[in-house]
Amino acid sequence: MQRNQITARNNWQNEVEKLGFGFHSTNVPYWDESVYYSFEMPEILAIEKATNELWDLCLGAVQHEMDNNLYCKFNIPEWAIPMIEKSWTEDHPAIYGRFDLCYKDGQIKLLEFNADTPTSLYEAGIVQWFWLQDFDKNKDQFNSVHEKLINYWKYLKNYLNPGILHFTCLKETLEDLTNTEYLRDCAIQAGIETKLVFIDDIGWDDAGKQFLDLEDQPIKNIFKLYPWEWLLAESFGKNIPNDTNRALWIEPAWKMILSNKAILPILWELYPDCAYLLPAYFEEGKLTNYVKKPILSREGANIDLVMKNMSLAKTDGQYGNEGYIYQELFTLPNYADHYPVIGSWIIGQEAAGMGIREADSLITDNKSRFVPHFIK
Amino acid sequence: MKKSKYIQLVLITAALASCNQAKKPDWGDNTNVHIRSDSTAPYTNVHHHGGIGTALLWYYAFRPYGNYNNGYYQRAGYYSSAIHPSSNIGSNGFKAAVSRGGFGRSGFSVSS
């Protein structure tokens, strides 16, 4: 894994905007093609293998969590448990997830799993693929996101309820809309009839006990780029188990378990010999060098990196009320004060590619940049 | 090969590229705006939440609102989640049968 600096394409903003990638910059570029990472094929194969194995372990951990009724560790309300277990036993469709991995000195370590609402899918699947067409189209890239998404939608089509597959996300965010519309694009190419409805436009028909879109069409299947913990906390949340259409929610409710950082101590307890896992605990005091993480947080908020009782780096935020976990510190590799984290995608049941986000500190936050990669 | 052989987009490119025209909102932070969704509803004051260009406009957009009856679409009016429920529904019985806005209040982006 090497970091390389190059000159960005002169018209890179136009090039990425032509792809529909409108959130490439805030005050500073988020998409950064003045840098790329190059990998040897054995390194990519190692990341792919780790991703597939971690996915298997995660499925085992979900079953363990249910068998041992560990929901309180995840701060999941009791009323939601039947819905979660039903989605698991009935094998409700799931399409994707992103493992955030640290790759350093030949070791791969799981930092967390974005199992419910992972973003940067469009950057990983599309934007960096087209960048490589310009840079050197003969080069390879760890990226079959697009064809795997289409193929898995084709597979899932047979498991959906009859009717439209709705897609929903928040209104005011181009990033969320882009990720959602990209998934919808792939579903359309898989032959599925789709429709977009923003999450706050969804209606509840109390007489008919069903969710409706803005044309009052019943929602039978819905992909949501909106976290389960938010759905449950909001006023319509308790309607979900009462829905007479028994709508399939994608990602399914059981993903609530995997997207919660409480899964990290569970994984460690179950698989302490796994080379991809870091020791992790619910209790403070078992580790000397550790990362304190809220069980529910986003974009590196409320993280505290501690080494020998001294805080190395810390971020603020609004999370932490639900509890914390403590994970052994395994710092990101330092490339001239740039710290890359690998987001490795699982689509369906297979590793599908990766995206790299680079931060200027040890904590990958919302100011990190997406940088492309290729295989040497 | 580890990469997709060929990529085609059927939906997203044109739709989202057109959303990227940076546009300064016409409304200043202190502007008082009173809107309603149809003539049966009273006006209420709204405060916008910031946002960028088209994203802000999505929020305020009035969306056609109706249903299908025996295969025919009937428009019942318009709806915007940016305004108070009383200004959305008014005395329109059709709209009042369905409540909206019960999701979507927990955050402004899910970015992970």
Side-chain angles (χ1 to χ4, degrees), chain A residues 17-18 22 48 119 129 137 139-141 143 171 176-177 185 189 201 204 213 215-216 234 298-299, chain B residues 2-4 8 10-13 20 58 63 66 81 94 99-100 103-106 110-112:
Chain A
E17 284 169 15
K18 276 194 278 185
E48 186 178 39
T119 53
W129 190 91
K137 65 180 177 187
K139 288 265 191 307
D140 200 0
Q141 189 174 70
N143 178 14
K171 245 177 229 158
D176 293 9
L177 181 68
D185 192 307
Q189 294 191 54
D201 286 340
W204 173 251
D213 66 17
E215 292 172 331
D216 279 357
E234 294 180 348
R298 317 187 78 77
E299 291 198 307
Chain B
K2 291 287 179 192
K3 68 176 178 180
S4 298
Q8 181 191 17
V10 298
L11 163 74
I12 190 170
T13 312
N20 188 42
W58 289 331
R63 293 170 179 78
S81 62
F94 179 84
S99 54
R100 295 182 191 271
F103 286 137
R105 305 295 180 207
S106 295
V110 308
S111 190
S112 58

Side-chain angles (χ1 to χ4, degrees), chain A residues 204-268:
Chain A
W204 173 251
D205 165 16
D206 202 45
K209 304 285 179 210
Q210 58 180 344
F211 289 105
L212 302 174
D213 66 17
L214 268 181
E215 292 172 331
D216 279 357
Q217 284 193 295
I219 293 174
K220 305 280 184 68
N221 310 282
I222 183 163
F223 170 89
K224 46 105 202 140
L225 190 66
Y226 197 73
W228 270 104
E229 65 268 19
W230 292 2
L231 290 175
L232 297 190
E234 294 180 348
S235 62
F236 278 1
K238 286 191 175 168
N239 296 334
I240 298 174
N242 302 323
D243 174 15
T244 50
N245 291 319
R246 298 160 59 95
L248 291 173
W249 290 74
I250 304 171
E251 294 299 301
W254 61 264
K255 280 292 195 83
M256 247 184 275
I257 296 167
L258 289 179
S259 63
N260 189 309
K261 291 179 188 69
I263 199 65
L264 296 170
I266 306 280
L267 282 167
W268 178 248

Side-chain angles (χ1 to χ4, degrees), chain A residues 275-326:
Chain A
Y276 306 128
L277 296 176
L278 292 164
Y281 302 96
F282 288 105
E283 305 82 15
E284 193 172 7
K286 293 196 168 184
L287 297 165
T288 309
N289 305 322
Y290 60 87
V291 185
K292 181 181 178 185
K293 300 179 176 182
I295 61 170
L296 298 173
S297 77
R298 317 187 78 77
E299 291 198 307
N302 301 96
I303 302 287
D304 193 3
L305 271 59
V306 177
M307 184 176 271
K308 295 178 183 166
N309 295 323
M310 296 283 287
S311 181
L312 277 183
K314 193 172 183 178
T315 53
D316 294 329
Q318 57 183 347
Y319 303 99
N321 289 340
E322 297 84 3
Y324 289 87
I325 61 101
Y326 303 83

Side-chain angles (χ1 to χ4, degrees), chain A residues 12 38 79 144 175 207 209 216 244 254 268 296 338 361 374:
Chain A
W12 69 266
S38 55
W79 65 265
S144 56
E175 180 178 358
K209 304 285 179 210
D216 279 357
T244 50
W254 61 264
W268 178 248
L296 298 173
H338 303 291
S361 73
F374 66 75

